Amino acid sequence: MNEAELSEEPVRRVSTGSSGLDTILNGGWIHGGTYMVTGAPGTGKTILGNQLCFSHVAGGGRAVFITMLSESHGRMMTHLHRMDFFQRDVIGQSLHYVSGYATLKGEGLDGLARLLYRSVREHQASVLVVDGLLAVQESAGSELNFREFLHALGVHNALAGCTTLVLTNRQENAAAPQFAMVDGVMVLEMQRHGLKVVRTVEVTKLRGEAQLIGQHTFEINSGGICVYPRLETLYPEQPREEPGPERRMGFGVPRLDEMIGGGLLPQSATMLFGSPGSGKTLLGLHFLASGARQEEPGLYYGFMESTPRLLAKAANVGLELRPWVDSGTLVVETRAAVEALPDALAHELLVLVDRHKARRLVLDGLEPLLQETLGPRRTPGFLTALTNALRARGVTSLMTQQTHVFFGPQLEARLEGLEAIVDNIVFLRYVELRSQLYRMLSILKMRESDYESALREFSISTRGIDVAETFESAEAILTGQARPLRKKQKRSLRKKVERRMPSSRRRSRS
């Protein structure tokens, strides 16, 4: 076999047991490679090693887990039995646990090397995990002895077809010689954000292979190590959209649909800005209900209210969503986003979109995604990648964000530069006039579409949302401080509004 034929052979991969980590590694560990995982105590190294072993034997492989100066095997089993991947009946059959510290102490590095080679050979292991490499390093006597040990282990196991994972404490020196002896290096960390601690994983070296560079968040739960690759690394560019027949996706609110030319363009992203209680959620539910009437699958994903309360709220305004929910045309998912990771929420959202083949999406509340763990520098890229992922799935999305000013000229939003990310912006707010509160709606932006920019009053009743003609006090609406107009001002305002209307509507009014 010549070199050209060798290069064309597919690379064999060994799954880590975590689909997210496999994505970062471009499919998993390379068969027969040796990899080092570093991290402070408690970062999840031992769980990651066991997850690899149990996942491997579940797929028909065989594994050996060698412990050095770490917890006893019994205590380890006590902690692991809560994990979904744990299977007691494979222990001693296809998965073997061996203690290596006594051999290291009595026979040194040469004795430990013989133990490792013998364990791989006798148990026909295709995966080997060595937990506690720091004890080996401290017993080596010199840096050269330790590097020779790592090199020999890698060569032996590569020839034996055994993928090796060595776990050790965090190495502060990124240029430490032992890193050159392995095929890849992965770093696990815990970072503090205020009172919250976020776990991150980073692949700092992967010999001869592409990987998703940078840090990615993960959590430890009943599934073990669950890694969430950064969306920006998965969806860096907008998908190519094939031009199709002109089609609009309306809200089912007649005057609003008129204002936006019949509806939203497919695969567009729309932001609903509004102060608390201004009607953002109800407008989103109207959008989903309009799609359900046309048998377009819809998904509501929100954080503010429980599902029963949300359905009752919709029923109170004449939107009976229960039949569509029962039929599966509309899926309602609500979460209590306490201590949630933004990347975890985004990945779950995309899984739900794929599972239910959603074509309309309401993401009700960006606040859980825009928390401090995301950071202001990363936020624009994160939301851009999320909208790219949704467009690639053919989803028309509606996102809501709460403003923090009820009245006044300021528009306070968490994200600056939003207008460059989303296609459309709808602004909802209150206006006070003669001690009464009025709801107002305006279209601030619609990409590739004509729209009416005139401000409209709208109301919420048992018949749903009703958008009225332009509020006669529109002159003062952007200040949030409406005032009655004199007759001359009314005539001037009416002429301005009529000039903005399509010619067909001007003829009908005349």
Side-chain angles (χ1 to χ4, degrees), residues 59-319:
R62 302 180 66 83
V64 174
F65 195 105
I66 307 286
T67 59
M68 304 305 294
L69 269 179
S70 58
E71 58 191 343
S72 66
H73 295 169
R75 183 174 294 275
M76 187 186 298
M77 296 304 107
T78 300
H79 296 155
L80 289 175
H81 86 276
R82 302 182 181 89
M83 301 291 179
D84 295 339
F85 60 74
F86 181 76
Q87 296 293 326
R88 189 175 295 276
D89 57 349
V90 304
I91 299 175
Q93 301 298 320
S94 53
L95 172 57
H96 298 268
Y97 286 86
V98 178
S99 177
Y101 182 68
T103 301
L104 175 65
K105 187 176 181 180
E107 304 177 30
L109 281 187
D110 291 339
L112 177 63
R114 288 192 295 270
L115 173 65
L116 298 180
Y117 304 158
R118 184 169 65 249
S119 297
V120 170
R121 182 177 63 254
E122 291 180 353
H123 298 300
Q124 299 179 334
S126 45
V127 159
L128 171 69
V129 175
V130 181
D131 189 6
L133 193 68
L134 182 62
V136 180
Q137 186 175 3
E138 292 175 342
S139 302
S142 71
E143 191 67 43
L144 177 61
N145 291 341
F146 180 63
R147 283 161 30 207
E148 289 177 344
F149 167 81
L150 275 182
H151 176 71
L153 177 63
V155 171
H156 175 274
N157 286 355
L159 293 174
C162 180
T163 305
T164 305
L165 207 65
V166 291
L167 315 179
T168 186
N169 283 2
R170 180 75 167 99
Q171 303 292 319
E172 297 300 333
N173 181 11
Q178 61 265 26
F179 291 150
M181 301 293 105
V182 294
D183 299 302
V185 178
M186 178 181 293
V187 180
L188 305 183
E189 291 184 343
M190 292 191 293
Q191 300 177 356
R192 185 173 298 278
H193 294 265
L195 297 179
K196 185 177 182 178
V197 173
V198 176
R199 299 176 186 271
T200 64
V201 56
E202 181 178 10
V203 179
T204 58
K205 173 186 176 181
L206 196 61
R207 183 174 289 160
E209 286 294 315
Q211 78 267 23
L212 299 184
I213 61 175
Q215 292 183 326
H216 308 268
T217 57
F218 75 95
E219 58 187 3
I220 300 176
N221 53 32
S222 61
I225 300 288
C226 295
V227 179
Y228 307 104
R230 293 194 333 277
L231 287 188
E232 303 92 308
T233 63
L234 298 175
Y235 306 99
E237 299 178 355
Q238 287 194 17
R240 292 183 178 179
E241 298 180 22
E242 297 296 332
E246 181 73 12
R247 187 168 67 92
R248 296 282 177 167
M249 308 181 78
F251 286 81
V253 180
R255 289 195 182 94
L256 174 58
D257 288 340
E258 289 177 14
M259 293 175 67
I260 57 178
L264 306 176
L265 288 174
Q267 302 179 38
S268 62
T270 301
M271 178 64 68
L272 293 182
F273 276 126
S275 49
S278 58
K280 301 183 298 297
T281 298
L282 285 178
L283 194 56
L285 294 178
H286 272 76
F287 179 69
L288 293 176
S290 177
R293 294 187 191 99
Q294 304 171 60
E295 298 184 352
E296 292 176 349
L299 170 64
Y300 174 93
Y301 189 78
F303 311 96
M304 308 303 175
E305 300 174 272
S306 65
T307 299
R309 185 173 179 180
L310 189 73
L311 295 179
K313 181 178 182 178
N316 289 338
V317 296
L319 287 177

Side-chain angles (χ1 to χ4, degrees), residues 11-19 21-31 35 163 206 209-210:
V11 178
R12 291 180 61 186
R13 302 281 181 175
V14 176
S15 173
T16 63
S18 167
S19 59
L21 188 53
D22 286 348
T23 299
I24 293 174
L25 293 169
N26 197 25
W29 306 117
I30 295 179
H31 176 73
Y35 301 94
T163 305
L206 196 61
E209 286 294 315

Side-chain angles (χ1 to χ4, degrees), residues 335-353:
R335 299 288 183 271
V338 179
E339 293 288 314
L341 295 173
D343 290 283
L345 294 173
H347 278 278
E348 183 192 37
L349 172 61
L350 295 177
V351 168
L352 291 171
V353 166

Side-chain angles (χ1 to χ4, degrees), residues 258-506:
E258 289 177 14
M259 293 175 67
I260 57 178
L264 306 176
L265 288 174
Q267 302 179 38
S268 62
T270 301
M271 178 64 68
L272 293 182
F273 276 126
S275 49
S278 58
K280 301 183 298 297
T281 298
L282 285 178
L283 194 56
L285 294 178
H286 272 76
F287 179 69
L288 293 176
S290 177
R293 294 187 191 99
Q294 304 171 60
E295 298 184 352
E296 292 176 349
L299 170 64
Y300 174 93
Y301 189 78
F303 311 96
M304 308 303 175
E305 300 174 272
S306 65
T307 299
R309 185 173 179 180
L310 189 73
L311 295 179
K313 181 178 182 178
N316 289 338
V317 296
L319 287 177
E320 293 293 344
L321 303 179
R322 176 61 69 180
W324 292 314
V325 171
D326 292 340
S327 68
T329 305
L330 175 58
V331 176
V332 177
E333 295 283 349
T334 57
R335 299 288 183 271
V338 179
E339 293 288 314
L341 295 173
D343 290 283
L345 294 173
H347 278 278
E348 183 192 37
L349 172 61
L350 295 177
V351 168
L352 291 171
V353 166
D354 292 337
R355 181 183 303 162
H356 301 293
K357 299 179 173 59
R359 286 296 168 262
R360 296 192 182 209
L361 166 69
V362 170
L363 175 53
D364 194 9
L366 282 178
E367 287 73 18
L369 296 177
L370 306 181
Q371 51 186 275
E372 62 179 5
T373 56
L374 200 61
R377 292 186 178 180
R378 189 188 164 201
T379 295
F382 175 83
L383 286 184
T384 299
L386 179 58
T387 56
N388 288 346
L390 294 171
R391 286 192 181 97
R393 290 163 167 78
V395 176
T396 304
S397 58
L398 204 66
M399 297 174 279
T400 72
Q401 187 181 8
Q402 183 170 290
T403 60
H404 302 290
V405 175
F406 282 85
F407 309 103
Q410 300 87 4
L411 172 58
E412 289 191 5
R414 169 75 183 272
L415 180 61
E416 295 182 1
L418 178 69
E419 66 280 356
I421 297 175
V422 297
D423 302 296
N424 317 306
I425 299 177
V426 180
F427 184 30
L428 311 177
R429 75 183 316 169
Y430 290 106
V431 170
E432 184 274 332
L433 175 63
R434 291 189 178 127
S435 302
Q436 294 292 323
L437 290 180
Y438 296 87
R439 289 185 171 94
M440 300 300 298
L441 177 150
S442 58
I443 312 298
L444 301 187
K445 170 189 175 183
M446 281 202 72
R447 186 171 289 161
E448 301 174 3
S449 298
D450 291 330
Y451 63 95
E452 291 185 24
S453 57
L455 300 160
R456 299 289 185 96
E457 181 188 359
F458 73 96
S459 60
I460 299 175
S461 67
T462 56
R463 296 186 300 275
I465 291 181
D466 179 47
V467 177
E469 294 295 334
T470 303
F471 192 62
E472 67 175 7
S473 307
E475 176 196 39
I477 187 62
L478 290 182
T479 67
Q481 298 166 352
R483 60 182 182 271
L485 298 181
R486 295 187 294 274
K487 291 182 179 180
K488 184 177 179 180
Q489 290 175 306
K490 290 181 181 180
R491 287 195 299 270
S492 175
L493 176 61
R494 189 176 296 112
K495 290 179 180 179
K496 290 180 181 178
V497 172
E498 288 178 350
R499 282 198 297 270
R500 291 178 177 177
M501 290 182 179
S503 57
S504 59
R505 291 197 61 199
R506 289 201 298 268

